Amino acid sequence: MVLAGLAVLAGAHFWSTGPESVRVPEAVGAAAEESAVPRTENVGAQSLPSPPPRPAPATIPDALAADRIVVDVNGRVRRPGVQHLRAGARVADALHAAGGVLAGTDITGLNRARVLVDGEQVVVGFPTAPQPPGPGGVPGPGGEGAAQAQAGAPLSLNTATAEQLETLPGVGPVLAQHIVDYRVEHGGYASVDELREVTGIGDRRFADLQPLVRP
C-alpha cells in the first residue's frame, strides 16, 4: 500500500512539473504568418520604364519658304486673287489654282507654259499691250504706262500696275491702289465706266481719266 501511494505521488509530481504549451499572442502570430507568405509586388507598374515623351510636331523648315512663290491671278477666272504656288510653277498652274478660265474666254495670246516668278500678275482674258524696248532692247523707264503715255495710247486698267496708274493726271498712290484693288476684287474691268465705282473717283476725275484709259 505504501509503495502504491508513493507511485501515485511521483506521477502527480511528474505531470505537474512537465512543459506547458504557451499560446502565441494574436498580434505576433499574424505578423509571423504575414512574413511566412511570400510578398508579391506590382512589378509591372514599378519596373516597366515610363513611355518616352512624344516628339514635338514637325515644323516646316524656313528653307521651304524659298520653294514657294506668290502670284496675282485676275481677269476671267473663277477665283481671281493671290495664289501661293511652288517655285517653278507655270501659268497653267496659276490658272488651275484660280479655279480655271471662264467659258468663252480667249486665251490665245496667253503662254500657259511660261514659268512664273514671285510677285508677278497674270491677267486672263484681256489684251496686254507690248512694252516697246528701250536702249539695248530693255524696256524704257516707267514700263507700259510711260510708253503708252508717250505714244498717246490709253493705259490698260486690267494690266497696269499701281506705279503705272500714278502717271495718270490726278492719280496718286492711294487712288492707284484703289483702282488695282477694285480690279482684283471684281476680276478685272469690263469697261472704263466701272471706274465710277472706285473709291475716290468722282464725275470730274472720271471725265479726266476716261480718254486716257481702256479696259
Side-chain angles (χ1 to χ4, degrees):
M1 294 293 290
V2 173
L3 293 176
L6 293 175
V8 171
L9 292 174
H13 176 73
F14 174 80
W15 288 108
S16 62
T17 59
E20 295 182 0
S21 61
V22 180
R23 184 176 180 181
V24 181
E26 294 181 0
V28 177
E33 292 179 0
E34 181 179 356
S35 61
V37 178
R39 298 181 62 186
T40 60
E41 298 181 358
N42 191 357
V43 178
Q46 297 182 0
S47 62
L48 292 179
S50 58
R54 294 182 178 180
T59 57
I60 300 176
D62 294 339
L64 292 181
D67 295 335
R68 309 293 295 179
I69 61 173
V70 181
V71 297
D72 179 17
V73 184
N74 60 57
R76 296 184 58 79
V77 292
R78 298 184 184 278
R79 295 190 301 271
V82 175
Q83 305 294 338
H84 297 258
L85 305 171
R86 58 178 176 79
R90 301 178 183 270
V91 173
D93 299 321
L95 299 180
H96 178 74
V101 180
L102 296 178
T105 303
D106 182 14
I107 56 174
T108 304
L110 187 63
N111 182 6
R112 287 168 287 176
R114 179 174 61 83
V115 177
L116 296 166
V117 297
D118 184 54
E120 80 165 275
Q121 183 183 63
V122 179
V123 181
V124 182
F126 299 98
T128 301
Q131 299 184 14
V138 180
E144 179 185 351
Q148 290 183 351
Q150 294 174 2
L155 185 64
S156 173
L157 296 173
N158 288 309
T159 60
T161 64
E163 291 77 10
Q164 293 166 353
L165 291 170
E166 290 179 31
T167 62
L168 297 171
V171 178
V174 176
L175 183 54
Q177 189 59 49
H178 287 332
I179 296 174
V180 173
D181 292 342
Y182 181 92
R183 177 176 68 196
V184 173
E185 182 179 355
H186 295 82
Y189 290 88
S191 68
V192 176
D193 291 338
E194 292 187 40
L195 274 180
R196 295 178 181 271
E197 303 179 23
V198 176
T199 303
I201 297 182
D203 293 338
R204 182 175 179 180
R205 182 158 295 172
F206 175 77
D208 295 337
L209 297 177
Q210 184 178 18
L212 302 177
V213 295
R214 61 179 176 83

